Amino acid sequence: MSMISLLVPAYNEEDNVRHCYERMAAVLDGLPGYDAEIIFTDNHSTDRTFAILSEIAAEDTRVRVFRFSRNVGYQNSVMFAYKAARGDCAIQLDCDLQDPPELIPQMLELWKDGNQVVYGIRRKLPDGPVVAALRRGFYWFIDRISPDDLPRNAGEFRLTDRRVLDQIRRSEDRSPYMRGMISAMGFTQTGFEYDRAARTAGESKFPFKAMLSLAVDGMVNHSLVPLRFASTVSLFTGLFTFLILLGYLVGKLLFGQQWPPGFATVVILLLMSMTLNAMFLGILGEYIGRIFMQTKNINAPIVEATLNVESEAAEAIDPSAPIRFPAAR
């Protein structure tokens, strides 16, 4: 009998978390021949999310909950859930129910057909036209600059096989971009189209700043194009500056031209140089910052409390940094 792991990151979702559980449980109850576990990663919610999860975990032993000691960000929360999954496959979906749990049987059928990764392709987005256009533009851009085959208009709603989960467990990336990481692993992957629903309740935990940060992670984690762009533009700028200098020298020495004081030219060239240096140092800083975070092990999730989780099993999620967690309740 195959086992399914449902992975649900949650942060301040007191209005959605029980409804989310009930819809997932209804789907699982209609899947004969499968065992299941539901893993909630509580990203240090400040509302009643963990209290409600405690009630749910007491009612259903299939529900396992990890509460972090601080907010480690959406991607790190998701990566932790993938490492904690014990199933033959894992399905990630958001707590706001924008990704319908009722599509899980369709994903399992595609998995049984031999696909190690099954991802949802967003045919319709509930966002406004500007945000939707920015999302689609980002997916197109990241696919163009990345050497990996990143599916366009695919979000976090996906199924991953046990072989993929084992590869994720070996990763120690502290600035992960999960959809890119999984896509870059290869294996047999397929997508299916669906219409993404609006949030059932509450406010989005992904404001423009968070989306911009995710876009930077996607570009920096899966492409060297920004560094190569910096090198190329620097080369052309240096060549352009050299040609201007050569033109001044030729005019002065061969044609005896008396150039007027070049205050404006000098100022323009200096400002151009300063702007380019600042921009490219910023690009380098993004990469160096990620190296720093990786070496210092920054953003590693620390589990504050668990529900229906054995301590030994929790420690095995990150063998490189074993931590003693509270006993299972």
Side-chain angles (χ1 to χ4, degrees), residues 6-309:
L6 299 186
L7 315 179
V8 189
Y11 175 66
N12 288 350
E13 293 286 0
E14 63 180 0
D15 296 328
N16 291 317
V17 65
R18 179 166 287 279
H19 186 39
C20 176
Y21 159 74
E22 290 172 350
R23 283 181 58 179
M24 289 189 297
V27 172
L28 294 176
D29 292 341
L31 289 174
Y34 287 98
D35 283 334
E37 65 175 359
I38 304 174
I39 299 176
F40 285 93
T41 49
D42 179 13
N43 215 349
H44 201 72
S45 298
T46 56
D47 61 2
R48 295 189 65 254
T49 297
F50 186 70
I52 298 173
L53 287 173
S54 300
E55 298 171 0
I56 295 172
E59 301 165 2
D60 190 344
T61 56
R62 296 177 299 178
V63 175
R64 304 169 68 210
V65 181
F66 297 88
R67 174 176 169 82
F68 302 137
S69 61
R70 64 185 179 89
N71 191 321
V72 295
Y74 179 80
Q75 294 293 321
N76 276 296
S77 174
V78 169
M79 187 171 185
F80 187 97
Y82 274 108
K83 290 187 176 185
R86 301 177 298 183
D88 298 296
C89 68
I91 300 175
Q92 178 191 344
L93 61 162
D94 288 338
C95 196
D96 57 15
L97 293 172
Q98 290 188 277
D99 303 319
E102 290 74 19
L103 294 176
I104 289 175
Q106 178 181 347
M107 302 174 80
L108 292 172
E109 288 298 320
L110 292 171
W111 174 55
K112 289 194 294 184
D113 288 341
N115 299 290
Q116 278 94 16
V117 178
V118 179
Y119 53 85
I121 301 173
R122 298 166 176 175
R123 183 169 48 205
K124 185 180 69 173
L125 295 170
D127 308 298
V130 175
V131 175
L134 288 174
R135 286 184 185 274
R136 298 190 186 280
F138 165 69
Y139 293 143
W140 173 86
F141 178 71
I142 196 66
D143 180 49
R144 294 291 297 174
I145 69 172
S146 174
D148 304 317
D149 185 17
L150 304 181
R152 298 185 186 179
N153 302 324
E156 313 297 338
F157 190 31
R158 71 172 63 82
L159 176 150
T160 51
D161 184 76
R162 181 74 254 171
R163 294 182 64 187
V164 179
L165 296 174
D166 290 340
Q167 294 300 317
I168 294 175
R169 283 179 65 91
R170 296 188 178 99
S171 175
E172 298 302 330
D173 194 345
R174 294 309 177 203
S175 301
Y177 178 62
M178 292 307 300
R179 70 182 73 165
M181 177 189 295
I182 293 172
S183 297
M185 288 181 183
F187 296 103
T188 304
Q189 306 195 16
T190 189
F192 67 96
E193 292 188 336
Y194 75 106
D195 294 327
R196 199 160 197 246
R199 286 181 61 91
T200 55
E203 298 180 354
S204 173
K205 308 307 184 298
F206 240 71
F208 178 76
K209 181 180 179 181
M211 288 191 289
L212 183 61
S213 177
L214 181 63
V216 172
D217 284 341
M219 287 187 290
V220 175
N221 283 24
H222 291 275
S223 178
L224 293 178
V225 168
L227 287 176
R228 291 171 181 164
F229 172 75
S231 301
T232 302
V233 173
S234 298
L235 178 64
F236 277 103
T237 302
L239 179 62
F240 178 69
T241 304
F242 173 77
L243 291 176
I244 292 178
L245 177 61
L246 185 62
Y248 273 105
L249 290 175
V250 169
K252 179 73 173 179
L253 299 178
L254 298 183
F255 299 102
Q257 295 180 350
Q258 298 296 322
W259 300 104
F263 176 78
T265 302
V266 171
V267 170
I268 291 173
L269 291 177
L270 281 174
L271 290 175
M272 182 187 299
S273 175
M274 293 169 61
T275 301
L276 288 173
N277 283 334
M279 181 172 67
F280 297 143
L281 282 174
I283 293 175
L284 289 171
E286 288 290 337
Y287 285 90
I288 294 172
R290 278 156 175 75
I291 296 172
F292 172 77
M293 293 174 68
Q294 194 73 20
T295 56
K296 299 289 286 185
N297 207 23
I298 294 175
N299 277 351
I302 300 173
V303 177
E304 177 183 6
T306 62
L307 302 172
N308 292 340
V309 178

